[in-house]
Amino acid sequence: MIIKKGGYITQRHLNPAQLSMEFGPRRATMLTQGADADQEPTRPTWSRQIEFTLAGIGCAVGLGNVWRFPYLCYRSGGGAFLVPYLLMLVVLGIPLLYMELTVGQYTRRGPVLALATVCPLLKGVGIASVAISFIMCTYYNVVITWALYYLFSSFQAPLPWQNCNNTWNTPNCTNHATNSSYSSTASQEFFKYKMLEQTSGVEDTGVLRWDLFLILILAWILIYFCIFKGVKSTGKVVYFTALFPYVILIVLLINNAQLPGALEGIKFFIVPVWDELLSVEVWVNAAAQIFNSIGIGFGSLMAMSSYNDFNNNILKDTLSISIINSVTSILAGFVIFSAFGYMSYLQGIPVSDLAVDGPGLVYVVYPQAFANMPVAQLWAVLFFFMLLCLGLDSEFAMVEVMVTSLMDQFYKDVIHIFKKKELFVLAVCFVACLFGIPCVMQVGIYVFQLLDHYTAIVSIMFLAFFEVMAICWIYGVKRLSANLEEMNGNKANIFFRLCWLIVAPVLITVILIFSIIQFKPARYGEYVFPPWAQGVGWIIALASIIWIPLGAIHTLWVLPGSIMEKLKLSLTPYALNEKSNMPYYERGGPSGNPPIAVISPSFDLPEKRPAETYF
């Protein structure tokens, strides 16, 4: 089939029943039948569509919902923070998630080939998303390791952080929080001196924490058995890991709400301080929280959606994932602050004097609340098992990005070397586990903080900016809307088109600029990282960002023609697909139909389709 496509060529394979609009309006001028006996196996799909929805919810709902959102809410005006948060959900979170799921489902590829398809010039954005997801999965699993450590410790009576009568406690240990900077609580000392055996700074590496290292291996074993069969195994796991945390959250809320002082904590959480809305930082924090919580730019949801049925209703999944994610954050806020109210009642100090930031929220402050509850061990086991579930499905989503992208690009090579996909997944998990070893040394908390600061804060903003530019502006809203019509029968409505075209790019640009202006060097508590460590942090950030310019240079290098012709082709969808990297039968067509070659002539094609096709 020969189709004019604006001056570039591509050869692809379409099923007759599904040939219509693709990446914008087009005109078909000639049909030719073709046959190919050497087709790769069709791309696997979710056994049931609810499995993708649950996997998406599990990916979006993570530990950040439990510690990051409640912290931002109370720091940014309590209930007033919900105004910009919910507004950003509507105009930023939902439209951009809709955009990512559309691209993933339509191209039937992970972020690398999907971005190379829609905007060859910025194909490096897809590679960068894989790089950032891999870096994050190496240290995010350490948080799961901590959850397992606390879970195992919760079976002791009394809880090891319940009093100061332990070998690791210092003379300054106290059972109750105080305003003194010279004392520390039993839960603080358990986290710092027992579990982490924390050194004085990043300069002092210390030794390997063997018990944490063994638990890290256990965590990776759990991850492997969640994803080793691809969507077939992941789809079964998410029925439990995505749903069970809600059971525990509701049980904890019912228990906490009956504790004395709980109402004061909840009031602190939701009562608006309207003056805070005048701060630009509050609005930027709301947008950033929506962005990071849903996972825009990380590639996880795009990779997962590539296993959807071609005609799946994307809007339904988009609304389910984004709304449930935000509802979970608010529910977690009630659970956390009802416990904080109880602690302030017991200790006679305001809720505002409790340290509630980062990992300390769930590994220091909340365990301290358990210690004073009836049946402390029960609530501790439930809470840390919930953290384990929240962490697991977010973690295997990040690993799946790497697996999917490498399988898409190098299917034949991977199968030739590893023979089975299961062995390849094992190799990816093994390498990621090795990279996580520094985080389970005595210096680990500093390595963790450095990685998190320069990956989750610095890199993701640049990545998100270029992804939105590539899809919303260069690829174009018109093409994206036409893709939706081909899959679901309806184009995107005016609201989504306006958000894609104007609102989202403007907001992302503002967030990026504000993040640069307000950038602060990494620190952990009162400890400020030395200049050489900050330099290492920037190298970590560049490990993902650098792929964006490198990808652009490579695209311009391989495309034919003059500089201007190269540039024009680099902004044209499918310009890199002249070797038929993306057979259409994998994008939803029944495998029984004979393929149809689609060619847009601008320069010569090979006389026959290349024998090698990537899965």
Side-chain angles (χ1 to χ4, degrees):
M1 179 177 197
I2 299 177
I3 294 179
K4 291 198 179 268
K5 240 172 104 173
Y8 69 94
I9 72 104
T10 182
Q11 178 178 329
R12 309 171 57 218
H13 292 265
L14 308 185
N15 289 309
Q18 292 178 318
L19 183 62
S20 57
M21 278 188 171
E22 184 170 331
F23 294 93
R26 60 175 61 183
R27 293 179 299 169
T29 59
M30 186 176 75
L31 287 174
T32 60
Q33 293 286 345
D36 189 349
D38 299 323
Q39 293 182 355
E40 297 286 355
T42 56
R43 192 176 187 82
T45 58
W46 300 95
S47 300
R48 299 174 61 189
Q49 199 53 44
I50 186 64
E51 294 178 2
F52 166 70
T53 305
L54 291 175
I57 292 170
C59 174
V61 176
L63 298 174
N65 297 73
V66 178
W67 74 48
R68 183 66 177 163
F69 173 79
Y71 168 70
L72 284 177
C73 202
Y74 103 89
R75 194 188 73 173
S76 305
F81 180 75
L82 294 177
V83 175
Y85 176 79
L86 294 176
L87 180 62
M88 293 301 174
L89 169 67
V90 173
V91 301
L92 189 66
I94 294 176
L96 290 185
L97 178 58
Y98 197 24
M99 173 197 78
E100 281 203 351
L101 296 187
T102 299
V103 172
Q105 181 170 308
Y106 189 81
T107 61
R108 299 280 290 179
R109 284 296 178 266
V112 176
L113 288 186
L115 267 295
T117 296
V118 301
C119 181
L121 183 65
L122 292 178
K123 69 178 182 181
V125 173
I127 303 174
S129 68
V130 174
I132 201 172
S133 290
F134 182 75
I135 294 171
M136 287 192 69
C137 82
T138 62
Y139 72 83
Y140 190 88
N141 212 18
V142 175
V143 183
I144 300 175
T145 301
W146 297 344
L148 283 169
Y149 188 93
Y150 269 82
L151 178 63
F152 297 151
S153 300
S154 298
F155 289 97
Q156 302 178 36
L159 292 173
W161 56 84
Q162 200 161 357
N163 57 61
C164 294
N165 303 322
N166 303 288
T167 56
W168 59 82
N169 292 128
T170 67
N172 295 325
C173 178
T174 175
N175 291 328
H176 301 290
T178 67
N179 292 323
S180 172
S181 59
Y182 298 101
S183 63
S184 54
T185 64
S187 61
Q188 286 174 323
E189 295 202 350
F190 178 83
F191 181 74
K192 183 176 180 179
Y193 299 125
K194 173 59 177 173
M195 186 182 75
L196 298 179
E197 293 185 7
Q198 180 181 325
T199 59
S200 58
V202 72
E203 303 90 347
D204 183 8
T205 57
V207 297
L208 182 66
R209 293 280 291 109
W210 282 101
D211 46 357
L212 284 182
F213 176 59
L214 293 176
I215 296 176
L216 176 67
I217 294 175
L218 174 61
W220 275 111
I221 291 173
L222 290 174
I223 295 297
Y224 174 74
F225 283 108
C226 286
I227 67 172
F228 79 114
K229 288 289 187 182
V231 294
K232 299 304 179 185
S233 58
T234 303
K236 303 300 180 288
V237 173
V238 293
Y239 280 108
F240 183 79
T241 58
L243 296 176
F244 189 66
Y246 293 97
V247 176
I248 301 179
L249 275 175
I250 293 171
V251 170
L252 288 172
L253 180 59
I254 293 172
N255 174 73
N256 293 359
Q258 302 176 56
L259 299 173
L263 186 58
E264 292 302 314
I266 292 175
K267 284 182 180 178
F268 188 88
F269 173 55
I270 64 173
V271 171
V273 180
W274 298 111
D275 292 343
E276 293 289 341
L277 293 183
L278 300 176
S279 170
V280 177
E281 184 178 5
V282 170
W283 290 83
V284 172
N285 284 340
Q289 174 62 17
I290 284 291
F291 207 86
N292 288 300
S293 180
I294 293 178
I296 306 298
F298 290 98
S300 302
L301 289 167
M302 188 182 292
M304 286 184 170
S305 67
S306 71
Y307 297 104
N308 279 343
D309 180 78
F310 185 74
N311 300 114
N312 172 57
N313 187 334
I314 308 172
L315 182 58
K316 179 184 68 175
D317 290 326
T318 301
L319 294 176
S320 300
I321 293 169
S322 53
I323 292 174
I324 290 176
N325 173 66
S326 294
V327 169
T328 305
S329 294
I330 296 172
L331 175 63
F334 280 99
V335 172
I336 296 295
F337 279 93
S338 58
F340 287 168
Y342 174 58
M343 290 178 60
S344 68
Y345 168 81
L346 289 177
Q347 299 167 12
I349 62 173
V351 176
S352 57
D353 289 344
L354 299 172
V356 286
D357 189 14
L361 175 62
V362 291
Y363 292 112
V364 174
V365 182
Y366 207 61
Q368 187 180 345
F370 289 138
N372 297 287
M373 292 181 186
V375 201
Q377 286 77 14
L378 172 64
W379 303 115
V381 168
L382 287 176
F383 181 75
F384 291 114
F385 187 72
M386 178 191 72
L387 292 187
L388 175 64
C389 292
L390 289 175
L392 278 177
D393 41 22
S394 296
E395 173 72 12
F396 63 63
M398 287 184 277
V399 179
E400 187 63 46
V401 175
M402 171 68 73
V403 173
T404 296
S405 299
L406 290 177
M407 290 293 288
D408 282 349
Q409 186 69 52
F410 307 109
Y411 176 77
K412 286 186 176 294
D413 294 331
V414 166
I415 296 302
H416 176 72
I417 295 172
F418 294 96
K419 307 305 179 186
K420 292 184 177 182
K421 180 183 176 182
E422 290 85 346
L423 295 178
F424 173 63
V425 175
L426 180 63
V428 171
C429 292
F430 177 75
V431 172
C433 182
L434 292 181
F435 277 101
I437 290 177
C439 292
V440 290
M441 296 180 67
Q442 290 176 324
V443 73
I445 189 65
Y446 301 106
V447 178
F448 174 89
Q449 193 69 18
L450 198 66
L451 285 167
D452 189 56
H453 184 81
Y454 285 95
T455 302
I457 298 177
V458 176
S459 300
I460 193 62
M461 287 293 102
F462 285 95
L463 188 59
F465 174 79
F466 285 106
E467 181 184 285
V468 171
M469 294 302 105
I471 299 176
C472 292
W473 281 3
I474 299 176
Y475 181 60
V477 172
K478 188 176 182 180
R479 287 189 179 110
L480 197 61
S481 185
N483 298 159
L484 277 168
E485 184 178 26
E486 183 177 348
M487 291 186 291
N488 299 149
N490 296 304
K491 291 185 177 181
N493 59 41
I494 186 66
F495 169 75
F496 286 111
R497 295 203 298 270
L498 283 176
C499 287
W500 289 335
L501 188 64
I502 300 172
V503 180
V506 169
L507 283 176
I508 294 296
T509 304
V510 169
I511 294 171
L512 179 61
I513 294 173
F514 190 83
S515 299
I516 295 172
I517 294 173
Q518 297 292 323
F519 176 77
K520 297 176 182 177
R523 60 190 302 145
Y524 177 66
E526 299 299 320
Y527 176 81
V528 179
F529 286 83
W532 69 265
Q534 304 285 355
V536 171
W538 280 109
I539 292 175
I540 294 169
L542 287 175
S544 57
I545 299 174
I546 193 66
W547 293 105
I548 299 176
L550 288 180
I553 293 170
H554 181 262
T555 295
L556 294 174
W557 176 264
V558 299
L559 288 175
S562 65
I563 293 297
M564 292 307 297
E565 289 172 337
K566 286 173 179 283
L567 186 60
K568 183 178 179 181
L569 281 174
S570 71
L571 300 176
T572 308
Y574 282 100
L576 291 175
N577 285 55
E578 69 273 13
K579 290 186 178 180
S580 189
N581 258 359
M582 191 176 297
Y584 188 82
Y585 66 84
E586 285 195 48
R587 294 199 292 107
S591 57
N593 289 342
I596 299 172
V598 181
I599 306 173
S600 290
S602 175
F603 49 88
D604 293 334
L605 280 170
E607 292 182 5
K608 62 180 180 178
R609 178 190 177 197
E612 185 168 317
T613 306
Y614 296 111
F615 177 73

